Amino acid sequence: MLARWWVYLLAAFLALGLIGVLLTGFAALVTIPTLPSLEALTDYRPKIPLRVYSAEGLLIGEFGEERREVVKISSVPERLKQAILAAEDDRFYQHGGVDYPGILRAAYSNFTSGGARQGASTITMQVARNFFLTKEKTLTRKFSEALLAFKIEHSLSKDEILELYFNQIYLGQRAYGFAAASQVYFGKSLEKINLAEAAMLAGLPKAPSRFNPVVNLKRAKTRQLYVLRRMRELGYISDTAFKEAEKHPLQVKRESQEFAMHAGFVAEMARQAVYERHREDTYTKGFKVYTTIRRLDQDAAYNAVRQAVMDYDSRHGYRGPEAFINLTQTGQDREEILEDALQEVTDSDDIQAAVVLAASTKSVKAYRRGGEIIEITGDGLKFAQKSLSSKAGSGQQYIRPGSLIRIRKNEKGVWHIVQLPQVEASLVAVNSHDGAIRAIVGGFDFNRNQFNHVMQAWRQPGSSFKPFIYSASLEKGFTPATVVNDAPLSFTAEETGSDQWDPRNYEDTYEGPVRMREALAKSKNLVSIRILQAIDVQYAQDYVARFGFDPKLHPAYLPMALGAGSVTPIQMAVGYAAFANGGFLVTPYFIQRIEDERGNILEQPKPVLAGESAKQIIDPRNAFLMTSMMQDVVQRGTATRAKQLGRADLAGKTGTTSNYVDAWFCGYQADLVAIAWIGFDNPKSLGNNETGGRAALPMWMSYMSKALKGVPTAAYTPPAGITTAKINPETGLREAHGTMTEYFLEEQLPPEANDKVDEAIKSVEDVIREFLSP
């Protein structure tokens, strides 16, 4: 009887098993036709962000929802592959998509532990889920996942499956794939990571948000040690390697995005350029933009702008703390209050936010994000000294416990109290021969203000526009030795196009008759106006259009002589480039080439070259004479500070607008033009004596000192048709024993002094003869 019951029981189990097999087979027959096509795998096209690079190939910008860098499995370090297999699927190369022993092992582990603690999804099943299915925990989804895994295994090789997994898996911090995660968490390419870092990355797929080392390093370390133990158990690493990796300190990047240089304005320009052509595909198709920006130039320009703005700001006094934090809130830990307050405040590169804990005239203790408490003393307090005095009272300018201040380390590593500046500035540098932009800094801080002052800011150029008026006068027969009266003038509203105008020189000083060379060097306003009167304003308006300026923005009225029109810094760079390159109009460009994700070149601009394909807009002799005159601006004019650079090949012009609203320095060396500007976004005075020579020139000098380091001094050779003559510096006339040598066009030599006297006598005789004739 007992034996018969066992037979019945066995038969029942077999019948149930057969029914289960039949039902599973039926379910498979029903489900298989509904499974998605594997085209997404066989023709893998992941979402790859737009990446922007410098001329050297350094990453300077990235745009896209998913950070991803697709790599071949053959290039993945063996230690990382082993770490991933140890953590996720150590029998990957043995099973056919579903690991049955693994399922039994997980089931047993979960049963004995009293809950679902261990999963049984293979790497192939994860690929199926990541590409085609949701993450809902249902039997239907799991069944479809297993069937898809079989289908994938049948269609792709093991290495192809692992490569898909490697590039597609989400690993936190917007990083998709292990190559992107390596950069995000450690700032390293895959081949440079060590065993400890490989184990940390391999532990992320299980729960990227939970084991993210940026969010919770302690929890990430626990997961890393699990991966290392599994690697040791499987014989991938030795006990010695395990112990070394266990003790190895992890240097995790705290910043979510770091680039090779500060080039946010350039990267945004590249994004806009690609978006105009490819719209939303810009962010997913893996386009790569290689720019003309050079690291040395960009770093020099960025630091020059930052320092010039901070120097200007320090000259105009401390405005007081940004805000006040109540440190005595009930029910909250003090450190929690401080961290919450600082969490809402954004740093500006090396200008960091801090909350004052204690303050006196001799010392300030402040709390920095992350828990560091610093003490500022001595020179570090000078800028804000008035706000530490008891005379500051209890107003907003008074620094006291709870004040939100800004701090910055100087070059010696000493903390100083500073403030976020309100003024803006920009610098652009261009190759004068082909228009390649070597550096663009469109503002003080791209993260605070994305308005690109180089490309978008229409400002009055002031006296930096005078060289274009002088160039026009050379075409009309004037010479560098032409004497013009430097004396006051007054004009009616009809002559100026607006109100009555009484122009003045800087500091209201006048020299009477003065040569044009001298007048440009000293930036004599009244001379420029008289020159414009003589050549005709309409002619000048048409003439400046040759340099790329819009005539409509430079009305044909006399204030044009003093730069009353509107320009952008990039326009000024193009205009000055014509003086530097011998009279050619170059087109500024910043994109070298655009590639697709496979490296195929989609676009590659062909720049016009000075002396070849570029349009000649002025006589090369005109360009030479203007360069010669603007060299004097540096050697003995309003930009003599630039002589500190110790170069004889620098030329340029300062620019200061009425009431010190805008300050410029536009200058060049034979191969490189740089334009520096500083001013407020809502135009207002920079303050008394904030001239181009004081506010903008130091910025230009700082950049040029680094950009031209090691570059031989250029020689400006007079072109054919230029001659020299000795002149009397008082009259501008030729004299055999003149004390000054001047350049002239061969056909425009001034008369000798004696000839001039003879002409005058003859003229007087003619007048008398006409008067006496019947």
Side-chain angles (χ1 to χ4, degrees):
M1 179 67 75
L2 185 60
R4 191 179 300 154
W5 277 106
W6 276 111
V7 170
Y8 291 155
L9 189 61
L10 181 60
F13 273 116
L14 288 173
L16 288 173
L18 181 60
I19 293 170
V21 170
L22 291 172
L23 288 173
T24 302
F26 178 75
L29 289 172
V30 172
T31 304
I32 286 174
T34 66
L35 293 177
S37 166
L38 297 186
E39 186 178 352
L41 304 182
T42 56
D43 185 22
Y44 180 50
R45 295 185 181 182
K47 291 180 180 179
I48 304 175
L50 166 70
R51 291 193 173 97
V52 185
Y53 298 90
S54 69
E56 302 92 340
L58 300 171
L59 184 66
I60 60 175
E62 186 175 275
F63 302 91
E65 293 181 6
E66 301 178 3
R67 296 174 184 165
R68 181 184 277 107
E69 186 177 340
V70 177
V71 295
K72 294 290 184 183
I73 198 65
S74 57
S75 66
V76 177
E78 192 64 24
R79 59 182 171 271
L80 180 57
K81 277 198 276 190
Q82 291 173 340
I84 294 169
L85 294 176
E88 295 296 318
D89 189 357
D90 61 279
R91 295 188 68 253
F92 173 71
Y93 282 98
Q94 284 77 49
H95 63 66
V98 177
D99 184 15
Y100 300 109
I103 292 174
L104 293 174
R105 183 174 63 248
Y108 175 76
S109 175
N110 293 338
F111 178 76
T112 56
S113 63
R117 296 171 180 269
Q118 185 172 330
S121 289
T122 64
I123 283 177
T124 313
M125 294 169 72
Q126 290 184 56
V127 168
R129 180 170 68 245
N130 288 334
F131 275 89
F132 303 112
L133 304 171
T134 65
K135 292 187 177 182
E136 59 177 347
K137 295 183 177 181
T138 64
L139 287 174
T140 302
R141 195 271 295 166
K142 202 71 177 176
F143 185 62
S144 297
E145 186 180 292
L147 292 177
L148 268 172
F150 288 133
K151 189 174 181 181
I152 291 168
E153 291 274 350
H154 180 73
S155 303
L156 302 174
S157 69
K158 285 289 187 179
D159 279 350
E160 288 174 331
I161 296 169
L162 189 58
E163 185 175 298
L164 289 168
Y165 175 81
F166 192 91
N167 289 310
Q168 185 69 15
I169 191 75
Y170 176 64
L171 298 172
Q173 300 294 104
R174 287 179 45 231
Y176 287 78
F178 286 91
S182 179
Q183 288 288 351
V184 167
Y185 292 115
F186 303 118
K188 296 180 179 181
S189 55
L190 287 176
E191 65 271 12
K192 293 181 180 178
I193 62 172
N194 56 44
L195 176 60
E197 292 164 342
M200 176 71 77
L201 293 175
L204 289 170
K206 183 175 178 65
S209 58
R210 180 176 174 82
F211 299 119
N212 183 326
V214 172
V215 175
N216 194 318
L217 185 58
K218 184 177 180 181
R219 196 177 290 158
K221 185 70 177 176
T222 301
R223 178 66 178 168
Q224 177 212 36
L225 292 177
Y226 164 77
V227 176
L228 288 170
R229 283 194 297 271
R230 287 286 296 142
M231 293 181 76
R232 183 178 59 179
E233 291 168 6
L234 294 167
Y236 292 153
I237 60 174
S238 64
D239 286 339
T240 303
F242 172 83
K243 291 176 182 177
E244 288 177 356
E246 183 183 23
K247 295 177 182 177
H248 194 282
L250 287 168
Q251 301 295 326
V252 178
K253 280 171 55 180
R254 291 293 168 184
E255 294 295 327
S256 61
Q257 191 81 321
E258 290 181 7
F259 299 114
M261 64 197 82
H262 295 278
F265 290 98
V266 185
E268 173 59 17
M269 287 165 62
R271 184 200 69 79
Q272 291 176 12
V274 177
Y275 187 82
E276 284 180 6
R277 300 161 175 80
H278 302 285
R279 312 312 291 177
E280 294 304 319
D281 284 348
T282 296
Y283 310 114
T284 60
K285 297 300 183 183
F287 296 119
K288 289 178 278 190
V289 180
Y290 290 87
T291 69
T292 58
I293 300 302
R294 307 197 321 182
R295 182 173 190 167
L296 183 151
D297 292 83
Q298 186 65 24
D299 285 346
Y302 176 79
N303 292 329
V305 168
R306 298 276 295 189
Q307 193 57 52
V309 168
M310 294 303 291
D311 288 345
Y312 167 84
D313 201 63
S314 68
R315 293 196 293 269
H316 292 270
Y318 187 60
R319 295 183 294 274
E322 286 184 27
F324 180 77
I325 312 301
N326 185 359
L327 302 179
T328 59
Q329 299 175 35
T330 57
Q332 259 192 300
D333 176 70
R334 186 179 186 182
E335 186 169 340
E336 186 179 340
I337 295 172
L338 292 166
E339 284 295 329
D340 287 348
L342 292 173
Q343 193 68 34
E344 302 298 319
V345 183
T346 305
D347 291 337
S348 176
D349 195 7
D350 59 345
I351 301 174
Q352 301 175 16
V355 178
V356 174
L357 301 178
S360 70
T361 56
K362 295 184 178 180
S363 170
V364 168
K365 287 185 178 180
Y367 180 95
R368 283 185 63 212
R369 187 183 286 110
E372 181 185 2
I373 296 176
I374 64 166
E375 185 173 10
I376 308 168
T377 59
D379 288 345
L381 299 175
K382 277 187 176 180
F383 182 52
Q385 196 67 59
K386 289 184 179 179
S387 292
L388 292 167
S389 169
S390 58
K391 294 180 181 179
S394 57
Q396 291 183 348
Q397 290 190 339
Y398 184 50
I399 294 177
R400 60 192 188 277
S403 293
L404 178 65
I405 62 173
R406 294 285 176 165
I407 55 174
R408 183 192 191 202
K409 276 185 179 179
N410 66 6
E411 61 278 0
K412 296 179 181 179
V414 178
W415 287 107
H416 282 62
I417 293 179
V418 295
Q419 63 190 355
L420 284 176
Q422 296 175 340
V423 74
E424 276 292 355
S426 69
L427 191 146
V428 58
V430 175
N431 183 315
S432 63
H433 301 292
D434 66 0
I437 297 175
R438 286 170 47 169
I440 281 188
V441 181
F444 181 77
D445 183 347
F446 177 77
N447 294 319
R448 287 177 63 210
N449 183 357
Q450 286 82 46
F451 184 76
N452 190 335
H453 297 82
V454 167
M455 309 300 291
Q456 299 173 295
W458 293 93
R459 311 290 298 211
Q460 287 190 338
S463 296
S464 64
F465 199 72
K466 288 177 182 176
F468 303 107
I469 303 301
Y470 274 63
S471 175
S473 74
L474 295 180
E475 293 283 319
K476 283 283 194 176
F478 283 65
T479 76
T482 299
V483 173
V484 182
N485 191 20
D486 177 30
L489 287 168
S490 183
F491 299 97
T492 65
E494 185 178 347
E495 292 173 296
T496 64
S498 56
D499 302 320
Q500 180 173 325
W501 186 39
D502 300 308
R504 295 289 181 265
N505 283 337
Y506 178 62
E507 294 184 339
D508 219 19
T509 58
Y510 306 90
E511 298 185 17
V514 61
R515 287 173 294 112
M516 275 178 46
R517 177 181 289 274
E518 193 76 10
L520 185 63
K522 296 180 179 179
S523 198
K524 293 292 186 178
N525 290 341
L526 276 301
V527 172
S528 298
I529 294 168
R530 282 188 166 91
I531 290 172
L532 183 57
Q533 275 184 309
I535 65 174
D536 183 61
V537 290
Q538 188 59 59
Y539 172 78
Q541 184 188 43
D542 294 337
Y543 185 84
V544 300
R546 300 183 188 185
F547 296 88
F549 298 112
D550 185 350
K552 294 177 183 177
L553 299 178
H554 300 273
Y557 294 105
L558 291 174
M560 186 200 330
L562 308 186
S566 294
V567 299
T568 62
I570 193 66
Q571 283 186 331
M572 296 296 280
V574 172
Y576 274 75
F579 296 133
N581 66 27
F584 296 92
L585 182 67
V586 293
T587 303
Y589 71 101
F590 68 96
I591 293 178
Q592 281 187 346
R593 67 185 185 277
I594 300 175
E595 296 180 358
D596 65 15
E597 74 276 15
R598 293 182 177 88
N600 300 313
I601 296 177
L602 302 177
E603 294 182 41
Q604 192 166 20
K606 293 182 179 180
V608 294
L609 302 178
E612 295 181 22
S613 51
K615 179 182 179 182
Q616 180 122 32
I617 55 173
I618 59 173
D619 190 315
R621 299 177 301 172
N622 185 310
F624 174 81
L625 291 176
M626 288 307 306
T627 293
S628 174
M629 285 195 282
M630 282 192 277
Q631 282 181 285
D632 269 13
V633 175
V634 174
Q635 293 303 314
R636 53 194 183 85
T638 55
T640 52
R641 182 184 291 190
K643 290 172 68 176
Q644 297 171 16
L645 296 180
R647 300 185 67 98
D649 58 350
L650 302 179
K653 184 68 187 74
T654 52
T656 311
T657 62
S658 180
N659 199 30
Y660 307 100
V661 172
D662 294 274
W664 298 75
F665 188 76
C666 306
Y668 57 93
Q669 179 258 5
D671 305 315
L672 182 64
V673 179
I675 308 297
W677 165 86
I678 185 169
F680 289 96
D681 276 344
N682 293 317
K684 65 178 182 178
S685 177
L686 290 165
N688 286 338
N689 300 317
E690 290 292 351
T691 62
R694 187 186 193 195
L697 178 58
M699 186 194 323
W700 185 89
M701 290 172 57
S702 175
Y703 165 73
M704 280 295 203
S705 67
K706 298 175 182 64
L708 296 178
K709 187 175 182 180
V711 177
T713 300
Y716 298 102
T717 305
I722 289 286
T723 189
T724 59
K726 288 188 176 182
I727 64 167
N728 181 329
E730 299 298 324
T731 65
L733 300 178
R734 278 190 297 154
E735 286 186 359
H737 302 289
T739 58
M740 181 175 290
T741 301
E742 182 59 272
Y743 289 109
F744 297 96
L745 303 186
E746 287 181 346
E747 67 272 22
Q748 289 183 351
L749 278 170
E752 290 188 6
N754 291 337
D755 293 342
K756 199 73 174 176
V757 172
D758 291 342
E759 286 180 16
I761 292 173
K762 185 176 183 300
S763 178
V764 171
E765 289 177 343
D766 288 344
V767 170
I768 294 172
R769 191 178 298 111
E770 183 178 348
F771 179 76
L772 295 176
S773 62

